[in-house]
Amino acid sequence: MKYIYILFIAFFVGACNHVEKYSISGTWEGADGQIVCLLDGWGEDARVVDSAVVRDGKFHMGKEFTGEKRLTLSMGSGTETILLDREPIVVEIVGFLGDKNMRNSCTVKGSPEQAVMKRAGELQFTRTFAVMFGYVMDQKDVSLEAFIDSNLNRVSIAYFMEDLLLSKYPFEEIAKDYERLAPEVKASAAGRSLKGHIDYMKPTQMGGIAPDIDLPDVDGNHVTLYSLRGKYVLVDFWASWCGPCREEIPNLKMIYEKYKNQGFEIYSVSLDDKRESWIAAITDLPWIHVSSLKGWDCPVAKHYNVTGVPKMFLLDPEGKVVAIDLRGEDLEKKVNSFFNI
């Protein structure tokens, strides 16, 4: 009996000491001495979580597995995004990535997540490239939706959807697609992060109740957005250095003068970081002006997901967002509809 008890204890201790590890192995001919790194994060903020030296054309990494996560393999001057999961990952590197004078490539094999991650990166790169060259990419894309629809059970798709959300893809489309994700994807770290961003951005979307703003005016007095409840309010994110913002000012002046006594107010949030420039630009603008004078680091702009100016939110008397980014005649018509003038 004592012997059986000891065996049970030994088995129990052994089971408790078992640590699940991930496995990343690969080949890289002609690269002995090179270091392959596993990175968490991007750019200067990236953190090395594991690394391996190439010996005899091979390398291997494996530490404790703590959950599925998007990470980056760094190989010389090249990188490859992977989803670290429970299945072994096998990498084949040919040549030296980044060297245009030789044939080079990187192939990642493992669970189906790796193929989804790679395709997601390609689609996001194409979208980003198109935006850089002025193509309008903020509308629903059938090919992207088809890709999402066919991978609702993949953790990688949650990362892809979050990237789309943060690159101004239609919020309502991502919110709908999130609800269709498999339960295990929603429960993953990627799924929880996506849900967090959706919840954070929802108040500044159509129909949401705009978050309060509490910033100082030119005299240092704090003026809150919620203090204007009961009025129709145009929340205008702008800056003195913004050409399109300045071009819109005559239209804002006309609308303000026409409707200010009817229950309409403009609440301008400047993204200037120089007080002198801000004050000089608003001397003849009679509505409410506030600013943190932190430029793009303005916490309010981040909360409202402002990535470019001008950015405008039209609110009803209860603070609900009823229109976004209307300008010129479209803005005037919308305000006019409130008062039936």
Side-chain angles (χ1 to χ4, degrees):
M1 184 70 180
K2 182 178 180 181
Y3 178 70
I4 295 175
Y5 179 75
I6 293 173
L7 284 178
F8 175 77
I9 294 295
F11 175 80
F12 180 76
V13 171
C16 290
N17 287 336
H18 174 71
V19 175
E20 184 180 14
K21 294 184 177 182
Y22 59 82
S23 174
I24 302 176
S25 58
T27 58
W28 192 0
E29 293 296 332
D32 285 6
Q34 293 285 326
I35 299 176
V36 180
C37 294
L38 187 61
L39 307 177
D40 185 4
W42 310 98
E44 296 181 354
D45 296 328
R47 178 176 62 88
V48 177
V49 295
D50 204 350
S51 64
V53 178
V54 179
R55 293 188 174 90
D56 297 326
K58 299 178 181 179
F59 62 90
H60 179 266
M61 285 181 273
K63 289 184 177 180
E64 182 180 358
F65 178 73
T66 57
E68 294 168 317
K69 190 172 187 180
R70 177 170 59 178
L71 298 173
T72 302
L73 282 175
S74 175
M75 306 152 286
S77 60
T79 59
E80 190 77 17
T81 303
I82 64 169
L83 184 83
L84 191 68
D85 58 10
R86 287 181 167 83
E87 293 200 28
I89 296 173
V90 179
V91 184
E92 181 182 2
I93 307 169
V94 176
F96 289 86
L97 279 69
D99 188 343
K100 297 180 180 179
N101 297 318
M102 65 185 303
R103 184 176 68 88
N104 54 71
S105 65
C106 179
T107 303
V108 177
K109 295 180 180 180
S111 71
E113 294 280 5
Q114 307 310 328
V116 175
M117 184 66 77
K118 184 173 182 63
R119 182 56 180 156
E122 293 169 349
L123 289 171
Q124 184 63 14
F125 176 80
T126 300
R127 177 180 169 81
T128 302
F129 188 79
V131 170
M132 287 174 57
F133 283 87
Y135 290 96
V136 177
M137 297 288 287
D138 59 348
Q139 301 300 314
K140 180 177 179 179
D141 187 302
V142 176
S143 63
L144 294 186
E145 288 296 323
F147 177 61
I148 292 172
D149 189 59
S150 61
N151 290 287
L152 294 171
N153 62 332
R154 303 297 178 198
V155 173
S156 297
I157 212 67
Y159 283 113
F160 178 61
M161 290 165 61
E162 185 171 332
D163 290 341
L164 287 179
L165 186 66
L166 298 179
S167 64
K168 297 196 206 178
Y169 196 75
F171 174 87
E172 62 277 8
E173 297 298 333
I174 298 298
K176 289 178 183 176
D177 286 337
Y178 168 80
E179 296 301 330
R180 300 192 300 127
L181 290 176
E184 60 270 22
V185 176
K186 288 182 178 179
S188 69
R192 296 195 304 272
S193 179
L194 173 61
K195 182 61 162 57
H197 276 96
I198 289 174
D199 290 345
Y200 187 74
M201 294 173 64
K202 191 173 183 178
T204 60
Q205 306 302 312
M206 287 290 293
I209 300 298
D212 196 12
I213 299 175
D214 185 355
L215 289 174
D217 62 14
V218 294
D219 298 318
N221 300 314
H222 281 247
V223 182
T224 67
L225 177 61
Y226 279 12
S227 69
L228 303 176
R229 285 288 177 82
K231 294 184 177 182
Y232 287 94
V233 180
L234 177 67
V235 181
D236 173 30
F237 287 90
W238 75 298
S240 65
W241 43 259
C242 169
C245 302
R246 303 295 288 268
E247 291 175 5
E248 186 66 16
I249 285 178
N251 186 53
L252 295 183
K253 280 186 174 181
M254 180 273 292
I255 294 173
Y256 185 73
E257 290 301 324
K258 187 174 182 179
Y259 300 105
K260 66 179 181 179
N261 294 325
Q262 307 296 323
F264 175 72
E265 185 59 79
I266 298 177
Y267 186 92
S268 285
V269 181
S270 171
L271 298 190
D272 280 281
D273 56 9
K274 295 180 175 60
R275 177 178 171 80
E276 298 77 14
S277 300
W278 174 44
I279 293 178
I282 62 176
T283 52
D284 60 342
L285 306 183
W287 51 83
I288 297 171
H289 293 274
V290 297
S291 180
S292 66
L293 292 177
K294 294 181 179 180
W296 289 110
D297 287 328
C298 174
V300 170
K302 291 180 178 180
H303 197 175
Y304 273 71
N305 196 37
V306 177
T307 57
V309 287
K311 183 72 178 181
M312 299 181 179
F313 299 85
L314 196 55
L315 314 181
D316 72 6
E318 286 73 46
K320 181 186 295 183
V321 179
V322 295
I324 299 175
D325 288 341
L326 294 182
R327 285 191 261 170
E329 186 178 349
D330 291 335
L331 177 60
E332 197 278 331
K333 286 182 178 179
K334 186 67 176 179
V335 175
N336 179 71
S337 72
F338 298 146
F339 305 106
N340 297 315
I341 295 178

